[in-house]
Amino acid sequence: TLSANPLITYLDVSYNSLTQAAVDSILSTLTANNLSGGIIRVNGTGNAAPSTLTNVRTLTSRNWTVSYN
């Protein structure tokens, strides 16, 4: 699981059939890991948009590149 790997700074799950809950969970977990300078891609056909931009804004304030629908 993502929470079992707290040092991840690159994750590309674009173009999968992720639900909004899954996208929210990924962004929330990466935010909770408190790392900076990473890249997360949860964009692409089939993926839902995050329900809120709070985690996106937090990650970008930590110099993450966040691609989402």
Side-chain angles (χ1 to χ4, degrees):
T1 66
L2 187 57
S3 60
N5 297 287
L7 299 179
I8 287 178
T9 56
Y10 179 82
L11 183 64
D12 186 346
V13 291
S14 55
Y15 298 98
N16 286 282
S17 295
L18 299 178
T19 64
Q20 188 174 60
V23 171
D24 288 343
S25 177
I26 290 167
L27 295 173
S28 177
T29 300
L30 292 174
T31 299
N33 289 347
N34 205 26
L35 296 175
S36 60
I39 298 171
I40 173 67
R41 293 187 173 115
V42 290
N43 60 315
T45 304
N47 285 352
S51 63
T52 177
L53 295 181
T54 302
N55 287 317
V56 172
R57 289 182 184 126
T58 300
L59 289 168
T60 56
S61 75
R62 295 177 184 162
N63 295 315
W64 279 73
T65 300
V66 182
S67 301
Y68 62 95
N69 288 341

